[in-house]
Amino acid sequence: MWPATGSACAVTAVMVAAQRVHGGAHYPTDVAAGAAIGLGSATLVRAVPRLVRRLVL
C-alpha cells in the first residue's frame, strides 16, 4: 500500500538480518528461511481480501 514505508522496513530488515549472521546468532540459511516465510506471509495477507471478495460475490 505504501511503497516508501515498505522500502524503509525492508532496509531495516536487511540490516538486522546481516547483523544476526555477522554476530553469529544465526546461519545464513536461517535468515533466508525467515525472509521466505515473511515474504510468503505478506503475499498471502495482501491476496486474501481479493480472494474473499471473489468467493463472496
Side-chain angles (χ1 to χ4, degrees):
M1 290 183 143
W2 303 310
T5 305
S7 297
C9 290
V11 169
T12 304
V14 168
M15 289 172 47
V16 169
Q19 185 276 331
R20 300 301 288 172
V21 172
H22 180 69
H26 292 288
Y27 290 110
T29 54
D30 297 342
V31 173
I37 291 169
L39 289 171
S41 298
T43 301
L44 284 174
V45 166
R46 288 193 57 139
V48 165
R50 283 179 265 144
L51 294 172
V52 169
R53 275 190 238 124
R54 284 185 193 169
L55 292 174
V56 172
L57 299 175

